[in-house]
Amino acid sequence: GAGVSQSPRYKVAKRGQDVALRCDPISGHVSLFWYQQALGQGPEFLTYFQNEAQLDKSGLPSDRFFAERPEGSVSTLKIQRTQQEDSAVYLCASSLWVIGRSGNTEAFFGQGTRLTVV
Amino acid sequence: SQQGEEDPQALSIQEGENATMNCSYKTSINNLQWYRQNSGRGLVHLILIRSNEREKHSGRLRVTLDTSKKSSSLLITASRAADTASYFCATVLQVGGTSYGKLTFGQGTILTVHP
């Protein structure tokens, strides 16, 4: 596609509910990142995929957060048993950058999914 | 955690004036990038400056980088109402001889340009 696409754009979940957020990266982009952006803050790194391999999940705040990218394209971020502190905008970004190679690290972001846990 | 600080946190100017935003960071970097975020929307890449560069221009944007002070500034000249947005700096870590593409963002500057 022309850009990074995320769905849904908005999600309201009841506390304790599981949610799944989808990201369609730019075709051909090897690298995919998930970020969490709390209100009034800058985005914070959650996890990174190179193709289907999850190479860095150091930013996932708890074991309730799980991400996958099984075929190296579309990625899903799943949050189990949502809590109020999970309310944030979840941003997905893709990039041509590849670990171990110098190159362009410019990231292309989707519009984000705004998650509200009530 | 956030990489560093941006200042000011908020900036309000009139159309036609220049806007300057500053960013500080803490680690050794491969490059520093600036992004714009309009309310309720995703981030848009504006400009990238590598650690061996001191200044870069793109249209009405001018970015400087001082690696000795671990700081950068973004200047928007002749601002327009459409420039109203949040602006974030983001650094890419340098680990050994290679870059690590994860972005570490500052807290952002909210720019309001009044027509």
Side-chain angles (χ1 to χ4, degrees), chain A residues 7-75:
Chain A
S7 60
R9 286 291 315 278
Y10 303 91
K11 176 69 180 178
V12 178
K14 291 185 178 178
R15 187 178 167 194
Q17 186 179 352
D18 297 349
V19 298
L21 313 179
R22 177 188 168 103
C23 172
D24 269 284
I26 293 174
S27 178
H29 279 193
V30 168
S31 289
L32 185 146
F33 302 83
W34 282 98
Y35 293 86
Q36 180 190 57
Q37 186 175 21
L39 189 64
Q41 301 293 315
E44 293 207 6
F45 170 80
L46 293 177
T47 188
Y48 163 65
F49 289 87
Q50 183 171 300
N51 295 309
E52 70 280 1
Q54 189 175 21
L55 298 185
D56 187 346
K57 51 183 180 179
S58 62
L60 295 176
S62 78
D63 58 8
R64 296 185 295 104
F65 286 71
F66 171 76
E68 60 183 4
R69 193 186 185 197
E71 296 178 0
S73 179
V74 170
S75 176

Side-chain angles (χ1 to χ4, degrees), chain B residues 49-67:
Chain B
I49 186 166
R50 301 189 188 285
S51 60
N52 61 354
E53 297 175 313
R54 292 296 165 258
E55 187 171 315
K56 202 162 183 180
H57 297 255
S58 176
R60 294 185 296 112
L61 305 180
R62 173 180 169 253
V63 170
T64 63
L65 179 65
D66 187 335
T67 53

